Amino acid sequence: MRNLHRLLSGLVLVALTLVLTGMMAGPASAAGVVGNGTPGSCTASALESALTGGGLVTFDCGPAPHTITAWNLLISDDTTIDGGGLITIDGGGFGGVLFVGQGTTLNLQNITISGGSGSVSGGVYNDSGTVTVQSSRITGNTASHDTFGGGGITSAGEASMLTVQNSTISGNSGGNSGGIFNQGTLTVINSVLSGNTGGFRGGAIFNSRTALVEASTLAGNTNDLGGGIFNQGTLTVINSTLFGNSGSSGGGALFEVGGGAMISNSTVSANTGGGISNQFGVVTVRNSIVAQQASEVDCFNDSGAIVSEGYNIESAISCSFTSTGDQQGVLASDLKLGTLADNGGPTQTQALAEGSVAIDHIPADVSEANGCGSTVVVDQRGEPRPANGDGNAGAACDVGAFEVQPPCNGSTDVNGDGVVDIVDVQRVAGDWNNPAFNPCHDVSEDGQVTTDDIIMVALDWGSVFLDSRTEK
């Protein structure tokens, strides 16, 4: 046993080394550093100088948050701007903040872009380039054009590529779209689009080509057509929440016109102007909640098709969800859907209360088209699917973006899938010495996650549990 313990300890240390290697890697050498340690040295001219020639641009403006007022910054060479979580570039209302030239790559990291004001874009204008927004905020920007562009980010041209990850796009406004205007390829992951306002199409997102929204929350956005999203291209929404958006002429969450949209494992509720409005397009829905809108019906279809691929829930019958596992006419008292809140994970979600008809409704069968346990393995927060959320024998998937997890009770089966394996070890190791650890990863229940917890899980490797809590 002593040798086994040593072996496991060695394996744990190797695993932790691999986990931490990426976290501890130092920054690349800077192409340009803005400032020399004081706020006064971090000026617009210093920023413009650092941006010349591209490369990595960092900031040395002192230990406190600092705002640089600058606008019409042209990115013509591949550039990474890393604000270190302290820097805001504010347009001061004088013009758009950043303009990315054709074929150019811009990476924005740990920075805030605000106060931009322009005709077709306030924050970032991407002219057929490649833009990545990582761990950043695009907020309080405006665009005035009433048919083209967006207040926060405009990604113009079919060749443009835009990725938004672990970021917030909020409080932007536009004569057309509020948050993001996309004509190319858009990917939004683990992000929040909230409080954006447009005057025509798409409060949070306008898409005319290809867009993926995954593990993200769109909340409190408003526009005439499509408070959340206006789509006339190809749209995929996975493991996401569309809550409290408003479309004054329809499509509180989604307004679909002539394109194609897939909504899977998502929650669409509390939207004003209805949930989904479809004109001449095809909207496919799977494993999702489209229910309890603030006004109007859950779905409105005009000369198009709303297709159910099963295991959906609606409040009445407007979505025509009649495929395998669909539930129509579900009362709020039976759905037990919570309001938008911090339920863990990087974005807010709507939790399911005990006894909800959405819990464990989708069978975990890899042969099923629903994907529960095969292609669908986590919820919006990153919590595992399927899980035994109702306490009955066997794990299954919940309808919507939120998966109820079983209680912890000190089990080494930390993900509740009925077996202790590498996934459990990886989850506990990922929380090693993390002060904001998942309570289920504190297997020893001593108020912290240490190597002792990792070893306890590793020693139980291969154990099978009847209900994810009782060893078989």
Side-chain angles (χ1 to χ4, degrees):
M1 178 61 72
R2 181 179 298 173
N3 289 334
L4 176 60
H5 190 277
R6 287 176 178 173
L7 175 61
L8 289 170
S9 298
L11 290 173
V12 165
L13 290 175
V14 170
L16 289 174
T17 300
L18 293 173
V19 168
L20 293 175
T21 297
M23 297 169 58
M24 298 175 66
S29 58
V33 178
V34 180
N36 59 16
T38 65
S41 65
C42 291
T43 62
S45 59
L47 174 57
E48 291 172 358
S49 177
L51 289 172
T52 302
L56 175 62
V57 175
T58 59
F59 298 81
D60 185 13
C61 307
H66 180 70
T67 297
I68 300 174
T69 301
W71 60 96
N72 295 344
L73 298 170
L74 176 61
I75 308 298
S76 55
D77 297 288
D78 294 350
T79 303
T80 295
I81 304 176
D82 191 335
L86 295 174
I87 300 301
T88 296
I89 303 177
D90 191 289
F94 297 109
V97 179
L98 290 163
F99 293 82
V100 181
Q102 293 184 6
T104 303
T105 296
L106 172 65
N107 299 316
L108 292 173
Q109 301 173 358
N110 311 303
I111 197 166
T112 297
I113 305 298
S114 67
S117 178
S119 173
V120 295
S121 180
V124 181
Y125 185 86
N126 176 23
D127 182 13
S128 299
T130 299
V131 173
T132 299
V133 180
Q134 173 73 38
S135 303
S136 296
R137 298 174 65 242
I138 310 294
T139 184
N141 302 284
T142 63
S144 59
H145 202 285
D146 59 3
T147 60
F148 184 89
I153 304 175
T154 294
S155 199
E158 294 183 355
S160 66
M161 300 184 68
L162 171 63
T163 299
V164 178
Q165 188 165 11
N166 298 314
S167 295
T168 298
I169 313 295
S170 66
N172 303 286
S173 61
N176 183 44
S177 303
I180 297 172
F181 177 91
N182 175 60
Q183 290 184 320
T185 300
L186 168 66
T187 302
V188 178
I189 300 176
N190 287 333
S191 295
V192 175
L193 282 76
S194 65
N196 300 288
T197 303
F200 187 16
R201 302 171 296 180
I205 296 172
F206 167 95
N207 176 57
S208 63
R209 192 161 177 79
T210 304
L212 167 66
V213 178
E214 182 172 359
S216 296
T217 294
L218 279 63
N221 304 285
T222 62
N223 210 325
D224 183 26
L225 301 173
I229 303 173
F230 180 96
N231 180 60
Q232 59 186 37
T234 300
L235 169 70
T236 303
V237 178
I238 305 173
N239 267 342
S240 293
T241 299
L242 282 72
F243 175 91
N245 303 286
S246 177
S248 57
S249 295
L254 168 65
F255 198 101
E256 173 68 42
V257 180
M262 161 62 82
I263 300 174
S264 67
N265 300 92
S266 295
T267 301
V268 179
S269 75
N271 299 284
T272 299
I276 299 170
S277 180
N278 179 43
Q279 293 187 356
F280 310 105
V282 178
V283 179
T284 304
V285 188
R286 175 199 302 155
N287 303 345
S288 295
I289 295 171
V290 185
Q292 297 177 205
Q293 309 310 321
S295 71
E296 305 299 333
V297 295
D298 293 324
C299 297
F300 174 80
N301 184 55
D302 179 14
S303 302
I306 296 178
V307 179
S308 170
E309 290 193 349
Y311 300 100
N312 298 302
I313 292 176
E314 61 175 312
S315 298
I317 60 173
S318 61
C319 299
S320 300
F321 291 156
T322 57
S323 296
T324 301
D326 283 343
Q327 300 179 68
Q328 293 184 300
V330 176
L331 300 176
S333 57
D334 294 324
L335 183 54
K336 302 182 188 300
L337 181 64
T339 191
L340 194 66
D342 182 359
N343 296 301
T347 56
Q348 290 189 326
T349 52
Q350 292 179 262
L352 298 169
E354 182 178 356
S356 169
V357 295
I359 297 175
D360 285 6
H361 181 64
I362 307 171
D365 185 348
V366 294
S367 66
E368 291 265 5
N370 63 64
C372 176
S374 55
T375 57
V376 181
V377 295
V378 294
D379 72 355
Q380 180 174 337
R381 303 166 298 160
E383 294 295 329
R385 298 183 193 259
N388 187 6
D390 62 5
N392 296 327
C397 290
D398 300 347
V399 182
F402 184 92
E403 185 81 13
V404 175
Q405 301 297 308
C408 303
N409 298 332
S411 170
T412 52
D413 176 23
V414 297
N415 71 342
D417 66 352
V419 63
V420 180
D421 55 19
I422 185 60
V423 176
D424 301 292
V425 176
Q426 289 172 334
R427 285 181 177 269
V428 176
D431 256 355
W432 179 61
N433 280 349
N434 177 13
F437 62 87
N438 184 325
C440 289
H441 300 166
D442 178 21
V443 181
S444 62
E445 298 183 317
D446 63 353
Q448 57 187 334
V449 176
T450 67
T451 54
D452 289 340
D453 299 289
I454 304 170
I455 292 170
M456 288 176 67
V457 176
L459 286 171
D460 262 0
W461 196 314
S463 297
V464 178
F465 291 77
L466 279 173
D467 61 357
S468 301
R469 298 300 154 212
T470 305
E471 188 168 7
K472 183 176 181 181

